[in-house]
């Protein structure tokens, strides 16, 4: 039985606590740390079978009984805590992104060198039943050689301008999931990025220096062309679709909804909207994700999303920002130099 | 080039005039007869290339130049005009039903005996692209041996109580199409009929002695069970679906709509209603139907729907009426006796 | 924290153990009893947090610490154990059907009289997201007054002839779920049943005295007509659909599948089959069901499915059997007499 | 009754002859000219009611009885014959594209100046029921302000390398329809084009100097971002979809197929492929298109697609070619200069 510590008990931290508590057989949660830990959260955690709560994450780092750490704290702490945990000999699951700064991700890569520790980045969508099915079809050769990869990813509600300011921008905050998805579905890396972006949803987002709507074209290493379309606000809910077109066919997935109920009346034939947002859509994926992490430790196998998988989408995001700024296609290799 | 006469220039007569005029290469319309022929209809017919119009259908019967007659007049005239036309040596296309009275249908059967004339009954739905695809899949063995056949057939608007009184009742007026469809899809005849019916749509229909909602169960000769559900009023439009379930699978068709456009917004995900009624849904089927009739004459082949195919659904309709009256399953053989 | 005992650790018993262990906050499992209890099951139960296992269900009945009992044993034991548990002052969740014999169900009703104990029957489909949505739409008046209710319920694989012999027949074993669903969707009871049934899937089922394919027509108390179509074998998987048509519209649900992935290639446009069988399709519904039972105890409210809801579908099943035997429509009131 | 002359009796010429002959009330075809006119075509044309056939299109230009000309000859002749016909005082319907050379299109524009002649370019897809529904929803404000416009347009089979050489390249030959569609759906012009293209389908197309797969991003004048994805070969058939996403919702259309039949069996749930190619998919649109042209003449209204609508997509195509060559976004204004 692995002992796990969880750093950060916000929205996503609670998701992982719930998953480990109810779905993961081989792990139990010893400690949950959060600087804003309060009675309510402590009570809830106790009900979930957590042994101990604290405001100080160092209690987790320093606890020799704890085998693995889940880093669910704010983005700026992901990389330094990753390094600390690795140095303390712990396996690490880190929420995305590891960092917006390549050097800081490099520090994590360096810390891992020579250890046998497992490291996993939380790109949860890879564990969604729909995207798994697309990837499986592509990998099984059912559509031949991929030629065009399309991802639609639109949020139901824009973030606050305050959040936008510290988010690293849409490409590193939101599109980063789609950059990971493109790599997952194509089975290779991107070579070049071109972005056409705009500020259409909320002027305050533009004033905060960001865009909210974009179409991103990517040239993939296998020759396929990928295109992502993003918007920070879709009034009908969380729009999460993908399509891979290839020499022998196409595989596509659409949104999930709460039920298949369709009402036909004088106004038309109406089904339900997509599930509202990521907590509704990806709850099961979060559970599978963290189970994969624990399994990789127990079985001593690679995690499905290593530290390099955390780096690559950040490079793509930085290339996307540069493409907008310089209004031209940007090669990934320009970012790494 | 066949010369055709059309008796009856009401709604369905006009459909056939249009089809022959625009789609059928091997036939031209010499004469259209209608007791209510007026200037407007005459003008329209002329525009459609009709040579001659008249109030007297005898002009068609007596015209030696006319090879084939389409009977689109009121139901009570179908059988006597069929007999007259056959005796005058003309091929006959007769709108459904031939009659509500078996003896009168028998008179047509008798008239045809010993002739080489073609006779076809207008069960247009057999020529609909969707139902054709179901029948083709069943006939090709794609679903194995049929076990359950389901037909949904609901009209967008109930007829007037006046019409109901002379219609022969829902089973002979509306369900008769579904009885034909069951035979078409099953590839065999029905043995027994049980009806659960009600008057739910309009009390005036009940006062006129009819029902407006029914579920009809049939035992087919091949062992399959069929079920038809009917209603005289579906607020969302003409509901015309079918499903055949068998030992190796299922084939199902749904409604057609004017476009595939789907609007997703805060209220839901809404597509278009089914096409409104039979003129919208089956216009293409009417064209194929009449083309098949002309082709059967030109190529001297059987028509796809002979006089027996006109008789069988009437027997089923009479059994359905008896089932409602006596509240029990009724064998088709009871009707013929 | 309620203490629960579970009698029967077969397939469905394990489902409930898992649900209570992982999803139900207000209950823990003290004892699991099964006459065939073995090391493997005991080990598994321990992993699920079960305190104690035994071969003797009397340990549960006699344990004053246990508040509620889930009866997941063989059908013939449902009613006597229900009575024992009630007499021991325990709340009871009983798998369907309570019994095939009305007198034995009556014994449970009698035992409950004058107590404040909760009793719930396990018609799990009421807690399925799709059927819940249909019922909610009907209850909210979105389709007006119900006129035609259609349920398709087909299993992926037939039971063994051995099972068929002790099952009580298809209507009490399989259709009973659909009888409950008809009541749930119509919001009222059935008045009359007519069955057209056949033995098409496996001759051994016929030799065991049962049918395997049926279309069941019901007259409901609110005037609606309901129709259920059943088959013991659908090669494409578990087919579980429903449709309610009314004066103001229609609501329909279709099957769930493992993903929305659709592959388009030279052979066609192919999506996934329905989820295989009830464990795949209704796992979430089982969890909601047992949560509702525990909530009813905790909050002292009615269970959503009381003992009367266990009786009614049995009456409908007995009427269905009589309809097949006597080949006529049978009133529910004939069964109760 | 308008008298029409048709220049070019190839595939698309025959489509228009059939439409005018069977669907257009206010026009009849006096003359069909084709340099390769042969007995078979002459016979067919006669059957369609064409009065006269010839090898020399000048017979049409010089015929004072002919009111309107349809130019269905090879692309290089579109512009000079347009000018000739205009000078002869005839209304002109010209197949797309008018020319690949802006100056030659300008010559047509100049010729039209000061006349009251109608000119229409044959972008048939605007008359497709699905795309009409998308445009109508956008124009009616049902999705708010357009933000992202997506068009998928993939052919079932690539053209021969010989054709590719004279085609003007994929952007002027195939994408030109999508450029028109983007303008139609956005309700405005494009400002800038960026293309990511590749030669993935057939090396011979690359050797002929063209691409066969592309993702084209456009900045529209109303601020929306549009993206077109093209491929010369989709094994599942003609893929013609569109989606417009806006501030208040989304409208999307999918492909048409021959029927709605879906077969469920042990292999999956399989529907029909999209209709094979443009003749299957757009036959009805061609009929509506030519009817609109004739109506514009009869009613003296603007044609729905004037000569400017012929120019704009060519500018977009030339910008696309420049974008591929220079690997950068290209403004439409760069082309006009």
């Amino acid at each position: 039985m692995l002992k796990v510590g969880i750093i950060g008990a916000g929205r996503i931290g609670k998701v992982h606590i719930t998953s480990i508590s109810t779905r993961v057989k081989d792990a139990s949660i010893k400690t949950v740390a959060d600087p804003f830990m309060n009675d309510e959260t402590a009570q809830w955690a106790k009900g979930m079978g957590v042994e101990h709560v604290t405001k100080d994450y160092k209690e987790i780092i320093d606890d020799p009984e704890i085998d693995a750490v889940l880093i669910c704290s704010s983005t700026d702490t992901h990389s330094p805590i990753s390094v600390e945990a690795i140095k303390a000999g712990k396996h690490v699951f880190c929420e995305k992104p590891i960092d917006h700064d390549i050097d800081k991700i490099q520090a994590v890569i360096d810390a891992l060198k020579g250890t046998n520790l497992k490291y996993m980045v939380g790109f949860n969508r890879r564990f969604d039943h729909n995207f798994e099915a697309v990837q499986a079809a592509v990998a099984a050769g059912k559509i031949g050689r991929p030629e065009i990869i399309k991802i639609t990813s639109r949020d139901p509600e824009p973030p606050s301008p305050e959040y936008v300011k510290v988010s690293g921008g849409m490409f590193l905050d939101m599109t980063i999931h789609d950059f990971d998805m493109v790599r997952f579905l194509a089975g290779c890396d991107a070579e070049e990025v071109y972005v056409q972006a705009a500020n259409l949803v909320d002027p305050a987002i533009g004033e905060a220096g960001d865009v909210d709507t974009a179409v991103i074209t990517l040239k993939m290493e296998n020759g396929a062309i990928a295109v992502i379309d993003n918007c920070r606000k879709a009034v009908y809910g969380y729009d999460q679709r993908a399509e891979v077109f290839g020499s022998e066919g196409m595989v596509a997935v659409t949104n999930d909804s709460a039920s298949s109920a369709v009402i036909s009346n004088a106004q038309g034939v109406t089904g339900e909207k997509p599930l509202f947002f990521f907590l509704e859509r990806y709850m099961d994926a979060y559970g599978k994700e963290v189970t994969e992490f624990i399994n990789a430790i127990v079985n001593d196998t690679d995690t499905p999303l290593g530290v390099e998988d955390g780096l690559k989408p950040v490079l793509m995001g930085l290339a996307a920002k540069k493409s907008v700024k310089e209004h031209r296609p940007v090669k990934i290799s320009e970012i790494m130099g």
Side-chain angles (χ1 to χ4, degrees), chain A:
Chain A
M1 196 73 162
L2 288 176
K3 289 276 182 188
V4 167
I6 293 176
I7 298 171
R11 197 162 50 173
I12 197 67
K14 287 204 173 89
V15 168
H16 293 313
I17 291 166
T18 305
S19 294
I20 294 176
S21 167
T22 60
R23 298 173 51 139
V24 180
K25 289 189 185 171
D26 297 320
S28 69
I29 306 168
K30 181 164 180 197
T31 307
V32 170
D34 193 296
F36 305 103
M37 180 62 64
N38 56 25
D39 282 358
E40 191 186 356
T41 301
Q43 198 75 19
W44 177 86
K46 202 182 161 188
M48 279 290 164
V50 172
E51 293 177 39
H52 175 62
V53 298
T54 175
K55 292 194 175 184
D56 183 8
Y57 79 93
K58 295 279 187 186
E59 286 192 33
I60 289 174
I61 302 292
D62 297 340
D63 185 340
E65 273 197 1
I66 288 180
D67 304 290
V69 174
L70 278 77
I71 304 174
C72 310
S73 46
S74 62
T75 297
D76 57 308
T77 68
H78 288 179
S79 133
I81 297 183
S82 286
V83 172
E84 280 184 82
I86 292 163
K87 288 193 175 156
K90 300 189 189 318
H91 305 288
V92 174
F93 175 96
C94 182
E95 269 305 316
K96 65 92 215 172
I98 304 180
D99 204 281
H100 299 155
D101 180 333
I102 306 174
D103 292 340
K104 290 193 176 167
I105 303 175
Q106 192 57 50
V108 178
I109 294 173
D110 293 343
L112 281 166
K113 270 182 196 143
T115 75
N116 282 319
L117 297 171
K118 307 298 176 191
Y119 193 89
M120 180 162 163
V121 187
F123 284 118
N124 57 292
R125 293 184 197 170
R126 289 200 183 200
F127 306 94
D128 174 70
H129 63 140
N130 286 341
F131 297 119
E132 274 181 336
V134 175
Q135 193 273 340
V138 174
K142 292 195 177 169
I143 61 135
R145 188 191 51 209
E147 294 174 349
I148 300 173
I149 298 165
K150 293 169 70 176
I151 293 171
T152 291
S153 178
R154 300 168 190 157
D155 286 353
E157 289 177 343
S160 66
E162 290 66 41
Y163 176 81
V164 166
K165 278 173 197 158
V166 300
S167 69
M170 188 173 79
F171 303 115
L172 287 169
D173 177 57
M174 175 180 170
T175 321
I176 197 161
H177 277 292
D178 308 308
F179 288 139
D180 177 64
M181 187 52 60
V182 160
R183 296 180 67 238
F184 181 55
L185 299 184
C188 70
D189 276 307
E191 271 181 17
E192 194 183 87
V193 179
Y194 174 77
V195 180
Q196 186 72 42
N199 170 223
L200 301 175
V201 170
D202 183 356
I205 290 175
E207 286 155 22
D210 203 3
V211 294
D212 50 34
T213 308
V215 170
I216 301 136
T217 310
L218 301 111
K219 189 181 170 191
M220 305 304 291
E221 283 181 351
N222 63 2
I225 305 169
V227 60
I228 297 163
D229 71 270
N230 284 152
C231 188
R232 284 287 202 181
K233 185 181 176 191
V235 296
Y236 51 84
Y238 199 38
D239 196 346
Q240 299 278 294
R241 292 173 282 156
E243 169 181 320
V244 184
F245 169 81
S247 54
E248 301 301 329
M250 174 171 68
V251 56
V253 286
T254 189
N255 290 302
D256 287 350
S257 56
S259 85
S260 63
V262 171
I263 294 181
S264 299
N265 60 24
Q267 278 68 52
V269 176
T270 303
E272 297 201 31
K273 289 186 288 183
L275 291 171
F276 178 65
F277 211 169
F278 62 97
L279 290 183
E280 290 80 12
R281 166 69 187 263
Y282 292 123
M283 194 50 82
D284 189 59
Y286 285 118
K288 288 198 270 182
E289 174 187 64
V290 83
T291 303
E292 291 277 325
F293 172 61
I294 299 298
N295 287 350
I297 299 170
V298 170
N299 304 323
D300 193 14
T301 55
D302 284 346
T303 65
L305 276 156
V307 68
E308 290 285 333
D309 295 302
L311 173 62
K312 295 295 177 63
V314 174
L315 298 179
M316 295 161 84
L318 294 171
K321 289 178 89 159
K322 195 178 184 77
S323 175
V324 172
K325 199 174 167 196
E326 304 184 5
H327 196 43
R328 65 170 181 91
V330 172
K331 291 202 185 309
I332 303 300
S333 58
E334 295 182 47
I335 306 302
M336 271 310 265

